[in-house]
C-alpha cells in the first residue's frame, strides 16, 4: 500500500485512492512512465507548480495532466510573492522556477531539492551551456553576471552551496534561455544601432528607457556605460562597491540631463513605451518585441558588438519532497522530465525562447518553425504564435540569426550581485535623484 | 452603571477589539520588531542592529523622499480641497432634485470604473509625446514641438492623484453640506447676505468636519501610494512609500519595516494635527 501523508488529501480522496488501489487489479496501465500499479492512484495526485508568466500557463497544464495522468496545478506569481510563498509555506509548493536574478537566494536555505542527475533523462541532450559551462564549440562563455554554470550544480547532496564544476546533483532542470538586447524602433531611430552605447547617445535624449531593477536594468546600463567609455569594470555582473558608486553617479548624471524617458517594471509598459513612440531605444525582452511587431509596428532586436545579455530559467523541485510521500516525489520527477520532452518546449519556442534540449524540438516543431526559430533561416510559410495568430510571413528571418549566433555571443548574464544590499540602497538614490 | 450592563458592553466590544488586536496591533508589533533585525538574501536575521534606522536618519535620500511626498500632499490637497468644496457646493445647493444630485455624485466616481493598471496605461495615448493632447496642441498651432512633461513627470503624477482623490475629498464635504439646515441659508439670504458671504460665513464653517475627513483621506492616500507615483513617473520619482515597495521587491524586509515605522509616525502626526484643528467627533455624533 502506498503511504499517503499529504495534508491536503482529504479523507474522501484517501478513500477514493484506496478504492482505486483495489481496482488496480483490473489493469488499467495506460499511463506511460509509471509501473502499472501506480496508474490508478496517481490520478488523485495534484502537484503544485508556481512560476512566472513565461513558464506557467493553462494550455501546458492541461496537456501535462492529459499526458501524465495526474493533475498539475499551475499558479502564476510575481517573483517576490513566489519567494515568500516558498519561504513561508514550502509544503504548499512542489515545483517552482526562477531565472538567474533569483538563483542567488537559494544557497543555504534548505528549500530546494538536490536532483540526482541520473533521474533527469534529458541531461545528455542538454546544451553544454548548462552541463559543461561552455558553448557547443567548447569555448567558455562570459562569466560576468549569474552565468548558467554558477547555479546549475549543488556541490553535494545536502544542497547548501553551488559548485562551479559539474557534480551529480543539479539545482534545477534548465528549461528556457535566451539572449536579450536593445529593442529599437528603426523607423524613428533612422541610423544603424551597433553598440550598447547608443542607449546613452545624445541623438536619443529623452527617448530611451531602462528596465527598472538591479538584476536587468543595471547590467544593461553598465553595458552601455562601458561601451561608451564612461567606466570600466572587472565584472559588470558583480560590481564592487566602488564600481556601484561610479555607476550610480554616472546614471544620475544622465538622468538629470534627461536621457531617460521612463523606467519600466512590467512587460506591458515596455510594449506601450515602444509602440507609442515615447521611446525609440530601450532594454527589452524578446516577447515584448514580438508583441510590438504583431501590432504592425517595426521593432528590431538585433545583436550589438558588446554581445547579448543572457538569461535562463531553471525548474526546481522543493526539498520537502525528499522526506515526504514517495509517490508525490515520483510524480514531480515525472512532470519535470515531461516539461522538456516536447510539448512545453514547442509552446515557448513559438514565443521566441530556446529549449535546453533543442533536439526534442525537431520532433514537435515543423521544419519551417525549427528553421525560423532555431536555425535563423527565412520562413518558408507563415509563422504562428502559440495561439495560432500569424506573427511573421514567409521570407521573414529572426533577428540575430541562428541559435548559437545569438546565444553564442553573451556579454553579460542577468544577475544578483554579492553587493545586492548596497546596490539596492544606491538604486533608491538613483530613482530619487 | 451596574455589573450586568458593564459585562454586556464588554461583550459588545470584544469582537472588534479582537479584530483590531489580531489584524492591526499584532502585525504592527511584528513590523516594529523586524525593523531592528539584520537581513541577507531573502532572509531576516534576528539579531538587533541599528543600521536600518541610522540609514534612514543619516541619509540625504530620506529627506528627498519626504520633501517629494510633502510637495505632492500639499499640491494635491489644495487642488482637491478647492475642487471638492465647490463641486459639493454645486451638487448640494444648486442642483434642485435629489435624482440629479445622485447622478452628479455618481458621475464623480467615473474614474473608478476601470482597474488601476488600465487607468495608468490609458494616460499614455492621452498625455504621451504622440498623444492626443500634444497632437491637438500642435494641430492648433499653439506649440511647435510636442511637450514631454505631460507624462512621466511630477505633472502626470499630480494629475492622476487629483483625478482619483477629488472624490475622496468631495464625498465627506458633500455629506457635511447635506446636513446643513436649509433654514440657516434662507435666514442668511433674508438678512441680505450675498452668495459668497453665505459660503464663507455659514457653509464653510459647517463643512469643516467634512473637509477634515476628506483631507485625511487625501493625505493618507498620497502618502501611502506607491503604484500611481511609480507608473505615472515612469519610476523616476521616489517617495517614502515607493522606497518601501522597492525594498520589499528586493526582499529586504527589515529596512522596509523601519521605513514603514517612520512613515506611520509621520502620517499619524499629520492626522493628529488635523483632528486638533477640527472636531471631527462632533460631525460623527450629529
Amino acid at each position: 500500500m502506498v503511504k499517503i501523508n499529504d495534508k491536503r488529501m482529504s479523507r474522501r480522496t484517501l478513500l477514493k485512492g484506496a478504492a482505486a488501489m483495489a481496482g488496480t487489479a483490473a489493469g488499467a496501465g495506460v499511463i506511460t512512465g509509471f509501473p502499472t500499479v501506480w496508474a490508478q492512484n496517481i490520478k488523485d495526485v495534484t502537484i503544485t507548480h508556481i512560476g512566472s508568466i513565461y513558464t506557467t500557463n493553462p494550455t501546458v497544464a492541461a496537456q501535462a495532466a492529459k499526458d501524465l495522468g495526474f493533475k498539475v496545478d499551475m499558479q502564476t506569481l510575481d517573483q517576490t510573492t513566489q519567494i515568500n510563498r516558498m519561504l513561508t509555506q514550502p509544503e504548499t509548493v512542489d515545483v517552482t522556477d526562477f531565472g538567474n536574478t533569483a538563483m542567488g537566494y537559494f544557497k543555504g536555505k534548505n528549500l530546494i531539492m538536490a536532483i540526482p542527475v541520473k533521474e533527469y533523462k534529458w541531461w545528455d541532450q542538454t546544451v553544454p551551456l548548462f552541463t559543461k559551462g561552455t558553448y557547443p564549440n567548447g569555448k567558455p562563455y562570459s562569466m560576468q553576471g549569474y552565468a548558467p554554470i554558477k547555479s546549475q550544480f549543488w556541490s553535494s547532496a545536502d544542497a547548501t552551496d553551488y559548485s562551479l564544476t559539474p557534480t551529480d546533483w543539479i539545482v534545477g532542470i534548465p528549461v528556457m534561455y535566451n539572449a536579450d538586447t536593445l529593442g529599437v524602433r528603426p523607423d524613428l531611430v533612422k541610423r544603424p544601432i551597433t553598440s550598447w552605447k547608443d542607449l546613452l547617445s545624445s541623438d536619443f535624449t529623452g527617448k530611451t528607457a531602462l528596465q527598472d531593477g538591479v538584476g536587468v536594468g543595471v547590467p544593461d546600463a553598465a553595458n552601455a556605460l562601458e561601451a561608451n567609455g564612461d567606466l570600466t569594470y572587472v565584472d559588470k555582473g558583480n560590481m564592487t562597491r566602488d564600481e556601484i558608486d561610479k555607476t550610480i553617479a554616472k546614471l544620475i548624471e544622465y538622468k538629470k540631463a534627461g536621457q531617460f524617458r521612463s523606467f519600466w517594471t512590467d512587460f506591458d509598459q515596455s510594449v506601450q513605451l515602444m509602440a507609442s513612440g515615447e521611446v525609440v531605444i530601450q532594454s527589452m525582452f524578446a516577447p515584448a518585441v514580438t508583441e510590438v511587431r504583431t501590432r504592425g509596428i517595426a521593432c528590431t532586436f538585433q545583436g550589438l558588438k558588446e554581445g547579448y545579455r543572457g538569461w535562463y530559467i531553471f525548474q526546481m523541485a522543493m526539498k520537502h519532497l525528499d522526506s515526504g510521500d514517495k509517490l508525490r516525489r515520483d510524480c514531480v520527477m515525472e512532470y519535470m522530465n515531461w516539461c522538456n520532452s516536447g510539448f512545453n518546449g514547442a509552446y515557448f519556442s513559438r514565443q521566441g525562447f530556446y529549449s535546453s534540449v533543442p533536439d526534442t524540438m525537431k520532433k514537435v516543431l515543423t521544419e519551417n518553425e525549427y528553421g525560423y526559430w532555431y536555425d535563423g533561416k527565412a520562413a518558408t510559410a507563415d509563422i504562428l504564435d502559440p495561439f495560432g495568430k500569424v506573427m511573421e510571413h514567409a521570407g521573414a528571418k529572426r533577428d540575430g540569426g541562428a541559435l548559437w549566433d545569438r546565444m553564442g555571443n553573451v556579454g553579460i548574464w542577468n544577475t544578483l550581485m554579492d553587493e545586492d544590499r548596497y546596490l539596492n540602497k544606491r538604486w533608491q538614490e538613483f530613482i530619487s535623484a | 452603571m451596574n455589573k450586568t450592563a458593564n459585562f454586556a458592553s464588554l461583550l459588545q466590544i470584544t469582537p472588534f477589539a479582537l479584530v483590531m488586536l489580531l489584524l492591526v496591533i499584532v502585525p504592527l508589533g511584528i513590523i516594529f520588531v523586524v525593523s531592528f533585525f539584520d537581513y541577507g538574501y531573502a532572509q531576516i536575521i534576528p539579531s538587533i542592529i541599528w543600521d536600518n534606522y541610522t540609514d534612514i536618519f543619516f541619509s540625504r535620500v530620506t529627506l528627498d523622499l519626504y520633501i517629494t511626498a510633502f510637495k505632492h500632499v500639499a499640491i494635491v490637497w489644495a487642488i482637491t480641497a478647492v475642487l471638492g468644496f465647490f463641486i459639493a457646493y454645486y451638487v448640494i445647493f444648486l442642483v434642485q432634485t435629489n435624482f440629479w444630485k445622485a447622478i452628479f455624485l455618481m458621475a464623480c466616481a467615473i474614474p473608478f470604473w476601470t482597474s488601476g493598471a488600465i487607468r495608468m496605461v490609458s494616460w499614455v495615448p492621452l498625455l504621451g509625446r504622440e498623444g492626443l493632447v500634444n497632437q491637438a496642441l500642435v494641430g492648433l498651432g499653439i506649440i511647435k514641438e510636442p511637450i514631454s512633461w505631460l507624462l512621466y513627470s511630477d505633472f502626470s503624477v499630480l494629475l492622476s492623484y487629483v483625478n482619483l482623490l477629488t472624490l475622496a475629498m468631495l464625498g465627506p464635504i458633500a455629506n457635511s453640506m447635506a446636513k446643513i439646515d436649509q433654514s440657516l441659508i434662507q435666514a442668511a439670504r433674508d438678512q441680505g447676505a450675498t452668495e459668497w458671504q453665505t459660503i464663507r460665513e455659514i457653509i464653510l464653517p459647517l463643512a469643516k468636519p467634512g473637509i477634515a475627513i476628506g483631507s485625511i483621506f487625501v493625505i493618507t492616500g498620497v502618502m501611502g501610494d506607491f503604484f500611481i507615483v511609480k507608473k505615472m513617473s515612469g519610476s523616476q520619482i521616489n517617495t517614502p512609500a515607493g522606497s518601501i515597495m522597492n525594498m520589499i521587491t528586493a526582499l529586504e524586509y527589515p529596512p522596509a519595516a523601519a521605513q514603514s515605522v517612520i512613515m506611520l509616525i509621520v502620517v499619524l502626526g499629520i492626522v493628529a494635527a488635523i483632528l486638533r484643528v477640527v472636531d471631527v467627533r462632533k460631525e460623527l455624533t450629529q
Side-chain angles (χ1 to χ4, degrees):
Chain A
M1 178 82 193
V2 173
K3 200 177 77 188
I4 299 169
N5 60 358
D6 190 324
K7 283 178 207 137
R8 278 164 302 164
M9 280 205 176
S10 65
R11 194 176 139 265
R12 206 174 114 88
T13 51
L14 193 88
L15 287 173
K16 258 170 41 189
M21 281 293 287
T24 317
V30 284
I31 286 87
T32 51
F34 281 100
T36 317
V37 281
W38 292 358
Q40 276 301 312
N41 54 339
I42 57 165
K43 74 179 181 351
D44 290 328
V45 172
T46 300
I47 63 171
T48 306
H49 173 183
I50 61 173
S52 71
I53 154 173
Y54 303 113
T55 50
T56 49
N57 67 73
T59 315
V60 172
Q63 187 68 33
K66 204 173 131 203
D67 290 355
L68 295 167
F70 53 84
K71 280 195 203 71
V72 179
D73 178 19
M74 280 194 184
Q75 299 171 10
T76 308
L77 301 174
D78 65 273
Q79 184 168 302
T80 314
T81 315
Q82 202 182 339
I83 292 174
N84 279 331
R85 169 101 169 261
M86 288 165 58
L87 290 169
T88 55
Q89 308 164 4
E91 72 290 349
T92 68
V93 180
D94 297 309
V95 178
T96 183
D97 57 57
F98 283 102
N100 22 353
T101 56
M103 291 311 294
Y105 292 132
F106 306 118
K107 282 189 280 189
K109 289 277 200 308
N110 205 26
L111 266 183
I112 305 294
M113 184 205 280
I115 301 170
V117 172
K118 59 178 189 302
E119 286 190 49
Y120 175 51
K121 66 179 179 193
W122 305 106
W123 190 246
D124 294 339
Q125 295 175 53
T126 300
V127 291
L129 280 184
F130 301 101
T131 56
K132 298 195 180 78
T134 64
Y135 291 128
N137 58 15
K139 284 207 183 116
Y141 47 68
S142 166
M143 290 293 273
Q144 298 205 25
Y146 239 95
I149 197 72
K150 288 187 183 176
S151 58
Q152 177 66 79
F153 296 98
W154 292 114
S155 51
S156 66
D158 65 4
T160 49
D161 209 357
Y162 298 156
S163 164
L164 276 175
T165 49
T167 67
D168 291 335
W169 300 278
I170 52 177
V171 177
I173 64 162
V175 183
M176 57 170 81
Y177 53 97
N178 208 340
D180 285 342
T181 179
L182 290 174
V184 173
R185 276 284 296 268
D187 52 331
L188 300 176
V189 163
K190 293 183 183 118
R191 72 169 170 83
I193 300 295
T194 54
S195 163
W196 281 88
K197 74 176 180 195
D198 286 317
L199 189 68
L200 301 170
S201 161
S202 55
D203 294 352
F204 313 123
T205 300
K207 294 177 179 176
T208 72
L210 268 179
Q211 190 268 352
D212 174 20
V214 295
V216 178
V218 168
D220 277 357
N223 247 337
L225 287 168
E226 195 173 53
N228 206 25
D230 289 332
L231 292 174
T232 54
Y233 298 91
V234 178
D235 178 355
K236 296 186 284 295
N238 197 13
M239 300 179 193
T240 62
R241 283 192 178 212
D242 182 50
E243 286 171 337
I244 291 171
D245 287 339
K246 286 179 179 153
T247 306
I248 298 292
K250 268 284 165 200
L251 286 177
I252 290 177
E253 240 175 71
Y254 280 107
K255 186 184 170 190
K256 290 207 160 141
Q259 182 67 17
F260 306 110
R261 180 65 171 145
S262 180
F263 302 97
W264 55 263
T265 39
D266 58 49
F267 178 90
D268 290 331
Q269 271 183 306
S270 73
V271 171
Q272 184 73 12
L273 284 170
M274 209 61 167
S276 64
E278 289 298 317
V279 156
V280 298
I281 177 168
Q282 66 167 349
S283 307
M284 226 169 166
F285 299 156
V289 175
T290 310
E291 176 62 30
V292 173
R293 274 192 218 164
T294 47
R295 297 185 186 185
I297 297 161
C299 185
T300 56
F301 200 53
Q302 85 267 36
L304 303 169
K305 65 181 177 205
E306 296 83 13
Y308 289 86
R309 176 175 45 69
W311 61 266
Y312 52 88
I313 290 178
F314 281 162
Q315 191 182 77
M316 292 163 281
M318 296 293 284
K319 196 163 195 176
H320 67 78
L321 293 164
D322 269 339
S323 50
D325 178 10
K326 173 79 170 59
L327 177 65
R328 171 166 293 270
R329 188 188 179 284
D330 288 341
C331 287
V332 164
M333 283 315 302
E334 200 62 26
Y335 169 66
M336 292 176 82
N337 277 311
W338 177 87
C339 280
N340 274 341
S341 68
F343 183 88
N344 182 39
Y347 186 91
F348 65 67
S349 288
R350 292 187 182 112
Q351 291 174 305
F353 303 122
Y354 294 120
S355 163
S356 64
V357 199
D359 288 347
T360 60
M361 292 300 101
K362 283 185 184 150
K363 286 176 279 180
V364 285
L365 295 175
T366 65
E367 205 182 323
N368 175 38
E369 285 178 320
Y370 192 88
Y372 176 81
W373 291 114
Y374 282 83
D375 288 341
K377 290 181 188 155
T380 53
D382 284 351
I383 296 290
L384 307 180
D385 73 5
F387 313 101
K389 208 160 83 178
V390 176
M391 281 186 38
E392 295 288 356
H393 297 288
K397 267 189 185 174
R398 185 174 189 170
D399 281 330
L403 166 57
W404 295 111
D405 292 335
R406 291 163 56 97
M407 217 51 226
N409 184 22
V410 171
I412 186 171
W413 301 87
N414 284 3
T415 191
L416 180 68
M417 301 193 193
D418 292 340
E419 290 286 357
D420 183 55
R421 183 165 162 172
Y422 186 69
L423 178 59
N424 272 304
K425 250 180 232 169
R426 299 301 321 268
W427 184 251
Q428 295 267 21
E429 281 176 51
F430 169 61
I431 304 170
S432 312
Chain B
M1 205 189 283
N2 65 40
K3 257 190 177 161
T4 331
N6 209 350
F7 179 73
S9 58
L10 265 178
L11 207 62
Q12 280 171 329
I13 61 160
T14 304
F16 186 66
L18 275 178
V19 168
M20 281 298 279
L21 184 73
L22 293 176
L23 299 181
V24 179
I25 308 293
V26 171
L28 279 179
I30 294 173
I31 289 175
F32 185 72
V33 172
V34 167
S35 72
F36 291 98
F37 283 173
D38 199 1
Y39 58 103
Y41 286 114
Q43 202 177 12
I44 297 169
I45 303 163
S47 65
I48 304 290
I49 56 165
W50 298 102
D51 302 35
N52 300 329
Y53 284 97
T54 51
D55 280 351
I56 293 174
F57 289 122
F58 298 106
S59 160
R60 165 81 208 172
V61 178
T62 310
L63 194 62
D64 290 339
L65 294 178
Y66 278 95
I67 288 174
T68 310
F70 288 148
K71 189 178 75 186
H72 287 170
V73 164
I75 297 172
V76 174
W77 179 81
I79 298 175
T80 54
V82 171
L83 278 178
F85 184 84
F86 285 102
I87 296 172
Y89 174 76
Y90 177 80
V91 174
I92 300 297
F93 295 109
L94 302 183
V95 175
Q96 296 300 326
T97 67
N98 279 337
F99 174 78
W100 283 108
K101 279 181 191 175
I103 295 284
F104 278 123
L105 284 176
M106 255 156 57
C108 295
I110 287 177
F112 294 90
W113 286 5
T114 177
S115 84
I118 292 173
R119 207 158 42 217
M120 293 306 117
V121 169
S122 326
W123 285 110
V124 179
L126 186 67
L127 300 176
R129 219 163 5 219
E130 315 280 326
L132 282 176
V133 172
N134 266 319
Q135 276 176 13
L137 290 176
V138 173
L140 291 169
I142 297 168
I143 50 170
K144 282 202 183 73
E145 286 284 310
I147 312 168
S148 41
W149 55 257
L150 289 177
L151 192 60
Y152 304 127
S153 60
D154 266 324
F155 172 80
S156 57
V157 173
L158 294 171
L159 183 69
S160 188
Y161 280 145
V162 169
N163 174 253
L164 288 177
L165 292 171
T166 300
L167 184 67
M169 185 65 105
L170 190 155
I173 297 179
N175 189 40
S176 280
M177 284 180 176
K179 286 179 181 165
I180 297 174
D181 194 341
Q182 289 290 333
S183 58
L184 275 178
I185 307 208
Q186 201 52 52
R189 292 210 177 114
D190 290 348
Q191 305 267 330
T194 61
E195 179 115 11
W196 180 239
Q197 274 176 317
T198 316
I199 290 175
R200 219 179 45 201
E201 304 290 337
I202 314 274
I203 296 172
L204 188 60
L206 289 172
K208 258 189 196 165
I211 299 174
I213 294 173
S215 302
I216 293 172
F217 286 158
V218 169
I219 291 166
T220 52
V222 173
M223 288 297 290
D225 164 71
F226 65 88
F227 182 74
I228 294 171
V229 73
K230 194 172 186 78
K231 298 287 172 179
M232 294 306 287
S233 75
S235 303
Q236 298 195 81
I237 295 173
N238 208 357
T239 58
S243 79
I244 292 171
M245 205 54 213
N246 289 336
M247 290 186 266
I248 289 176
T249 311
L251 300 158
E252 297 178 344
Y253 292 98
Q259 185 70 273
S260 305
V261 168
I262 301 295
M263 209 177 106
L264 188 69
I265 293 168
V266 170
V267 173
L268 284 180
I270 298 173
V271 172
I274 294 173
L275 294 182
R276 283 213 141 224
V277 176
V278 183
D279 187 0
V280 176
R281 207 172 289 172
K282 202 177 79 192
E283 158 83 356
L284 295 173
T285 49
Q286 247 175 18

